[in-house]
Structure formats: structure tokens, C-alpha cells
Amino acid sequence: MKIAVLPGDGIGPEIVAEAVKVLQRLEADQAAGLRFELEFADVGGTAYTNHGHPLPEATLALAKQADAVLFGAVGDPRFDALERHLRPEQAILGLRKNLGLFANLRPAILYGELAAASSLKPEVVAGLDILIVRELTGDIYFGQPRGRRPSPDGAFAGAPEAFDTMRYSRPEIERIAHVAFQAARTRKAAGHAGKVTSVDKANVLETFQFWKDVVIEVHAQYPDIALEHMYVDNAAMQLVKAPKKFDVIVTGNMFGDILSDEAAMLTGSIGMLPSASLDANGKGLYEPSHGSAPDIGGKGVANPLATILSAAMMLRYSLRQPEAAARIEQAVQAVLRQGLRTADIAEPGAQTVGTATMGDAVVAALG
Ligand code: IPM
Ligand code: MG
């Protein structure tokens, strides 16, 4: 199994290194019979610095031929002054678009051991386990035509306007709706409600009236799954008011970007949450839901668990190794039970461990 490993910027390299340790430990376990061919490449600001482009041809080619991509994070304010197409963020957007990774799965799960880390009352979040399905290659992120900063080196100062267009095609909505209904079905079999909440802004935007209508059409094929609709502003409110009323949320690229950060924080730490971005055939890119946190990059204090859990998602969805995935997830639970905490999930005044110590503990817990 060939895995493209793209560490990226900020804390990316250090958190990815821990996930790699975990994969190598699984590999060393002869009985599991797993063989990973890990190939590393630059991406984001690091790639811009080394090769003049955030997504070099070689990196894209590697990602295309690999069975899966393990991704750290990109972004650094040092590159804010660059033309948009050279900024680090364009690397992840380019990978999503070029690899056709339209389905972004972002679970928000509260680990019982971390209930106190949430900013919400324990009874509001205890047992939270919801899934955000975010459409990832359409919407205002990839609208046509796109505005352009008028001059490459200067700012927008003096320009008369700027615009981005919001757009969805019927097949784009249909395929993400299928992903959401199927995920709800799988979750229902595991005891969840079997409900999809489609989040839109149909009261104002044609794009999202269309979204809503197409989701209703697709729903006809899933009579066993309940469908409800919610405006995005209300959804933002309900997520903090009664998050456990959700099961699967399906929404567009932009709303999904915002709501998934919000949902992640309900769990107390965005440093815990993995994500998968899948194409139509199950090939995927796996990355932590959090960003590159350049302020703490290189300090060895970042939480590697979201990346380690992303590697578990990779084993489950793209490499079809559910047992190895479950082993990693159980090892993460075990280190939490042992009381190990990186700074982001520690209670005030509690003892914390660094990135490598946390990764080593997960490796040890794998047995
Ligand atoms: C995310 C990030 C990206 C996005 C950025 C880095 C382009 O916020 O994955 O949620 O907006 O999609
Ligand atoms: Mg985001």
C-alpha cells in the first residue's frame, strides 16, 4: 500500500511524524501482515519555499498514484502577501480538486475522558458523536468566474469590487447526498438515530434552494433514514444549544468549513479530530481537522492524536484494514485513560506531555 505523506507547514511535520511511527509499529507486527510504502513530499508554504509552488507537479503526481494521502497541515501568515494561487492553502484546495475528493467526513466525537475540556456543560456534550459531511470541491470555493487581485504585488487598495460566485451542479449535490444518507445508514446499524440534517440557506440563496430540492429527491431512495432541513444560522445555534440532536449533517463547502470548526470545538479539542476526504472510489486524503498552528510549530507541544486518528481513518476507508484502524483508535482511548494530555486537552494546572511523548504512548498502547 503506497501512501503519499505530505507533512506541510507549522506543526504539520511533527504531528505527521507521530502518525508515521504508529504506522511503522503496525508494520513491524508481522502477524498483521501490513506493508506500507511511505513516500514523502513537500506541500504548502514549505513547498513554495523549496520549489516555488505550494503544490509542485511532483507532489501532485505522487498523490495521484498513491493509494492514499496522509496530510499534515498547510498555512503560515508569512505567505499572506503572496498572490492567491501561490499561497499555502492552494495546495490543499488543488489536491481536493485534482483528486476529485468531493466528500469530506468530519466526525465530532467527545471522548468521555475529555468532557471537562469542552467549553459547554458536560450534560450538553456528554456522549456526543456526530458526523459532518461537507461537500468539498464545489460551492463558492470553486465558483466561476473568480475575481483576481488586480496586481500581483499590491493589495486590493483602490479596486472597485471583488467577487466570488456560489454555484452547485445537480450531480455534485446528488453524490454528496448519497454519501450522507449511506453514512447515516451505517451509523444507524451501530445504534445512531439514522437522521440526516441538510444545512442550507434556501431562504436567501437560489444555490441552496436547489441544494435542498436535490437532497429531497435523493432522499426518496433512503426511506429508512429521516431527513430534516435547517438554515445554516440556526444550525450554528443548535450546535451549541443541543448538539446531540444531530446525527449526520450534510452541507456545502463553505457552510461545512464553518460548522465543522464549531462542531470540533464542542468536543473540547480540535486537536483530537481526524478527517477524511474521499473520491468516488474510496481513495482519500486524510488530515487532522485542525490547521497548521504556526505559532506553536516546531515546539513539540502540538497534539498528534487527530493525525494519528486520521491514519486510522485511512486504514478503514482507503486501505480497507478495519482491524488495524480499530487498534489505533483503541490505543488512543487507552492513552487518554492513562491520563496523558497535551496542552490543548489538559485541565488548567494539570501535567502535560509533548507531541513525541504522546505519539510514543500510542505506539506503546498498540501492544
Ligand atoms: C479546512 C481549511 C481549509 C478550507 C483551508 C486551509 C483552505 O479551513 O480544511 O477546513 O477552508 O477548506
Ligand atoms: Mg476550515
Side-chain angles (χ1 to χ4, degrees):
M1 293 175 280
K2 183 163 179 167
I3 303 171
V5 184
L6 313 182
D9 308 325
I11 59 173
E14 53 206 282
I15 53 178
V16 165
E18 301 311 312
V20 166
K21 274 188 202 166
V22 168
L23 292 173
Q24 285 169 341
R25 174 66 190 82
L26 288 178
E27 216 178 12
D29 188 351
Q30 302 290 337
L34 298 169
R35 281 283 304 129
F36 304 118
E37 193 189 320
L38 305 178
E39 209 171 311
F40 287 72
D42 286 340
V43 76
T46 310
Y48 176 78
T49 306
N50 294 342
H51 317 279
H53 197 280
L55 181 58
E57 282 297 330
T59 301
L60 180 58
L62 170 67
K64 278 187 175 164
Q65 22 110 351
D67 298 306
V69 180
L70 183 62
F71 190 91
V74 290
D76 190 318
R78 284 185 298 139
F79 302 102
D80 279 359
L82 290 173
E83 263 187 278
R84 185 163 304 283
H85 74 280
L86 293 175
R87 289 200 209 169
E89 290 78 7
Q90 293 304 309
I92 185 68
L93 296 174
L95 282 166
R96 289 170 181 169
K97 197 69 179 173
N98 279 289
L99 272 60
L101 307 172
F102 70 93
N104 186 212
L105 311 183
R106 295 191 166 180
I109 297 172
L110 185 97
Y111 289 84
E113 294 82 357
L114 300 181
S118 174
S119 52
L120 296 189
K121 295 195 191 90
E123 64 267 27
V124 177
V125 289
L128 183 76
D129 181 345
I130 63 178
L131 176 68
I132 298 200
V133 177
R134 170 189 175 193
E135 199 290 327
L136 205 55
T137 52
D139 202 354
I140 196 162
Y141 269 57
F142 295 96
Q144 291 284 339
R146 308 179 61 176
R148 262 295 176 89
R149 209 180 206 179
S151 70
D153 50 343
F156 258 129
E161 64 171 8
F163 59 89
D164 299 278
T165 54
M166 181 175 269
R167 178 188 161 281
Y168 263 119
S169 70
R170 171 176 288 276
E172 283 174 328
I173 302 168
E174 285 174 350
R175 64 185 182 177
I176 196 71
H178 281 293
V179 169
F181 287 122
Q182 274 158 19
R185 199 172 258 176
T186 308
R187 286 167 58 91
K188 190 175 181 186
H192 289 279
K195 180 174 79 169
V196 170
T197 305
S198 172
V199 172
D200 63 56
K201 191 70 188 175
N203 51 343
V204 178
L205 302 171
E206 278 313 307
T207 314
F208 274 91
Q209 182 63 56
F210 183 56
W211 170 282
K212 181 174 178 177
D213 292 352
V214 174
V215 170
I216 291 171
E217 281 178 38
V218 174
H219 179 230
Q221 297 172 46
Y222 299 87
D224 52 323
I225 301 300
L227 171 65
E228 67 176 10
H229 305 275
M230 204 178 275
Y231 297 141
V232 63
D233 49 348
N234 186 27
M237 184 175 77
Q238 297 303 331
L239 266 174
V240 287
K241 188 176 167 209
K244 285 189 270 182
K245 287 198 181 149
F246 292 101
D247 178 5
V248 174
I249 293 175
V250 65
T251 190
N253 204 346
M254 177 76 139
F255 299 157
D257 179 42
I258 300 164
L259 294 181
S260 62
D261 262 31
E262 187 188 3
M265 204 57 224
L266 297 175
T267 71
S269 175
I270 196 164
M272 290 298 302
L273 299 176
S275 78
S277 304
L278 306 175
D279 75 0
N281 307 310
K283 172 166 172 172
L285 178 148
Y286 299 83
E287 58 175 325
S289 278
H290 59 72
S292 56
D295 52 324
I296 56 165
K299 295 192 177 145
V301 299
N303 186 347
L305 294 180
T307 315
I308 291 172
L309 291 167
S310 298
M313 280 187 108
M314 174 175 82
L315 285 161
R316 177 168 290 118
Y317 289 104
S318 288
L319 307 180
R320 314 221 173 275
Q321 301 292 331
E323 280 148 39
R327 259 183 88 189
I328 296 178
E329 288 158 357
Q330 282 154 15
V332 168
Q333 295 248 4
V335 300
L336 292 176
R337 272 199 302 276
Q338 288 160 25
L340 267 79
R341 301 285 185 270
T342 43
D344 58 313
I345 51 174
E347 287 178 50
Q351 182 100 31
T352 62
V353 301
T355 312
T357 305
M358 187 60 114
D360 290 343
V362 175
V363 167
L366 281 171

